[in-house]
Structures are given as structure tokens and as C-alpha cells.
């Protein structure tokens, strides 16, 4: 069996105000216990800067997201290109 595993990094824990700043994913083959495909992307927040505490925790810097981040819509297209 295969499973899609998704990991998110966010700007905080409050779902009303926090934003996704990174999406990582893997297609996992449970029979072989191996990742068949992996990927991910940084996501540009729209509600404000990444708090320093989040940068300290995740290592994701505002400059990294500004230079390499996608919009949330682009990130979803990367994760689910056929959706």
C-alpha cells in the first residue's frame, strides 16, 4: 500500500492566525518501508513576517521564503499537480 505523508511548518500554533511556511511530502510504500518520491517547498506568508521564535525553531528565515517561497496556491499545485 502507498501513503502520502505531509509535513507542515507554520508561523505559529493558532489556526486562526498562523500560516504555512513550508510543505514537505513523501509517497511512502508501506510494504517496502521506503519513500518512493519526496518533495517540498517554502511558502510565502501573507499576514506578516515569520516570528523570530519560529525561525529559531525551524531554521526557516524570512529571506529564504522571500527568495525561494511559492504562494500557497503554487505550493498546492506542486503537491497535487493533477488536482
Amino acid at each position: 500500500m502507498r501513503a502520502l505523508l505531509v509535513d507542515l511548518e507554520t508561523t505559529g500554533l493558532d489556526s486562526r492566525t498562523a500560516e504555512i511556511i513550508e510543505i514537505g511530502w513523501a509517497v511512502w510504500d508501506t510494504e517496502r518501508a521506503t519513500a518512493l518520491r519526496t518533495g517540498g517547498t517554502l511558502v510565502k506568508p501573507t499576514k506578516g513576517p515569520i516570528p523570530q521564535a519560529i525561525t529559531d525553531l525551524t531554521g526557516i528565515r524570512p529571506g529564504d521564503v522571500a527568495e525561494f517561497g511559492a504562494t500557497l496556491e503554487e505550493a498546492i499545485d506542486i503537491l497535487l499537480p493533477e488536482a
Side-chain angles (χ1 to χ4, degrees), residues 24-36:
W25 58 270
V27 176
W28 185 259
D29 185 316
T30 60
E31 293 174 10
R32 294 185 282 172
T34 190
L36 301 174

Side-chain angles (χ1 to χ4, degrees), residues 26-61:
V27 176
W28 185 259
D29 185 316
T30 60
E31 293 174 10
R32 294 185 282 172
T34 190
L36 301 174
R37 191 163 193 185
T38 62
T41 187
L42 294 172
V43 179
K44 295 178 183 176
T46 61
K47 296 179 183 175
I50 299 171
Q52 184 61 47
I54 298 301
T55 294
D56 294 344
L57 180 66
T58 65
I60 299 170
R61 297 178 289 182

Side-chain angles (χ1 to χ4, degrees), residues 2 15 17 20-21 23-24 28 30 34 36 42-43 45 47-48 62 65 69 76 80 83:
R2 293 180 180 168
S15 63
T17 58
I20 296 168
I21 55 172
I23 299 175
W28 185 259
T30 60
T34 190
L36 301 174
L42 294 172
V43 179
K47 296 179 183 175
V65 173
I76 291 169
L80 302 169

Side-chain angles (χ1 to χ4, degrees), residues 3-28:
L4 175 63
L5 310 173
V6 179
D7 178 55
L8 303 176
E9 300 295 344
T10 65
T11 58
L13 297 176
D14 186 338
S15 63
R16 294 169 291 167
T17 58
E19 293 184 272
I20 296 168
I21 55 172
E22 183 179 38
I23 299 175
W25 58 270
V27 176
W28 185 259

